[in-house]
Amino acid sequence: MLKLENVNQFYGESHTLWDINLDVKKGSFLCVMGRNGVGKTTLMKTLVGLVSLRSGQVLLDGQDVSRATPEARAKAGIGLVPQGREIFPLLTVEENLRVPLAAGRTKQKRIPEHIFELFPVLKQMLKRRGGDLSGGQQQQLAIGRALVLDPTVLILDEPTEGIQPNVVKEIGDVLVRLNREMGVTILLVEQKLPFARRVAQEFCILDRGRVAASGAMGALDDVLINRYLKV
């Protein structure tokens, strides 16, 4: 589904990603983990085309999208929920959800109804400005906006950051449903270990821009946690 082969990334002269190989299989739920500053967000931005890779390949369904624009990757089926949500605070909830439609990234002309089924609060607040929502509601809006594109791969960068516990549970339930029932492949960046273990099936740990360990979530033991995840 989504594959990285020998990906290297630089910021100026700083080598931030080193020979990254990652295979996100169709229908899988993979959590990318690691301490702050190890390259997790850079990896996500490289996947969606927000930063250019120096060498290597990004493949989607076997097609090389390494040089494709973010817009082209979105049309090809990659959806992004960025760190910090990045909703439009002065636009209403409805206008935020219509942004992908207006950008012409999909043939859809209406907001898909299943988004309101997944996040009923968004339907209740269609006319409210995004900036007036709580942090948890804004995160649900950010996820809903990504789902407007009907992605086959959904990438989320720390969606539980700064969110109240009850909404974290709701978001986790939605992600599990998207993956298990609707077949969406999910790539998640997450630092909260209990949340990651509840929703994801596999893990990949980054350390200093390299893949340090990976496997089934059940194989994430105390040795790996103490070595790579504890602050």
Side-chain angles (χ1 to χ4, degrees), residues 104-177:
R105 296 182 185 177
T106 173
K107 294 180 180 178
Q108 288 262 17
K109 300 302 180 185
R110 300 176 59 185
I111 301 167
E113 193 61 33
H114 73 270
I115 291 173
F116 299 125
E117 181 188 348
L118 293 169
F119 298 116
V121 69
L122 298 182
K123 192 163 191 176
Q124 299 166 16
M125 298 186 171
L126 274 178
K127 302 305 178 184
R128 292 188 64 177
R129 293 193 306 180
D132 293 335
L133 304 184
S134 70
Q137 291 163 349
Q138 288 184 12
Q139 188 61 270
Q140 291 176 82
L141 176 55
I143 297 171
R145 183 180 59 186
L147 293 176
V148 168
L149 295 174
D150 193 24
T152 54
V153 180
L154 183 63
I155 297 173
L156 305 101
D157 194 350
E158 300 205 29
T160 67
E161 187 177 30
I163 305 300
Q164 55 267 43
N166 64 311
V167 179
V168 168
K169 183 182 183 306
E170 290 177 16
I171 288 173
D173 292 343
V174 167
L175 295 183
V176 168
R177 184 177 173 188

Side-chain angles (χ1 to χ4, degrees), residues 58-216:
V58 177
L59 304 172
L60 180 64
D61 289 330
Q63 300 297 312
D64 187 354
V65 297
S66 306
R67 309 301 170 191
T69 64
E71 291 78 13
R73 298 188 203 198
K75 284 184 178 179
I78 299 178
L80 172 67
V81 181
Q83 186 178 30
R85 301 182 280 275
E86 296 184 13
I87 63 155
F88 298 101
L90 299 181
L91 298 185
T92 66
V93 167
E94 182 176 8
E95 289 167 339
N96 268 277
L97 291 173
R98 287 190 175 278
V99 166
L101 303 179
R105 296 182 185 177
T106 173
K107 294 180 180 178
Q108 288 262 17
K109 300 302 180 185
R110 300 176 59 185
I111 301 167
E113 193 61 33
H114 73 270
I115 291 173
F116 299 125
E117 181 188 348
L118 293 169
F119 298 116
V121 69
L122 298 182
K123 192 163 191 176
Q124 299 166 16
M125 298 186 171
L126 274 178
K127 302 305 178 184
R128 292 188 64 177
R129 293 193 306 180
D132 293 335
L133 304 184
S134 70
Q137 291 163 349
Q138 288 184 12
Q139 188 61 270
Q140 291 176 82
L141 176 55
I143 297 171
R145 183 180 59 186
L147 293 176
V148 168
L149 295 174
D150 193 24
T152 54
V153 180
L154 183 63
I155 297 173
L156 305 101
D157 194 350
E158 300 205 29
T160 67
E161 187 177 30
I163 305 300
Q164 55 267 43
N166 64 311
V167 179
V168 168
K169 183 182 183 306
E170 290 177 16
I171 288 173
D173 292 343
V174 167
L175 295 183
V176 168
R177 184 177 173 188
L178 286 169
N179 177 248
R180 313 292 202 270
E181 297 180 17
M182 303 174 71
V184 179
T185 302
I186 296 180
L187 182 59
L188 168 73
V189 173
E190 184 55 61
Q191 298 212 53
K192 293 180 180 176
L193 187 57
F195 181 82
R197 279 181 159 157
R198 183 167 82 88
V199 300
Q201 299 160 335
E202 301 173 75
F203 74 92
C204 172
I205 296 176
L206 293 188
D207 184 52
R208 300 177 186 177
R210 303 176 188 269
V211 175
S214 62

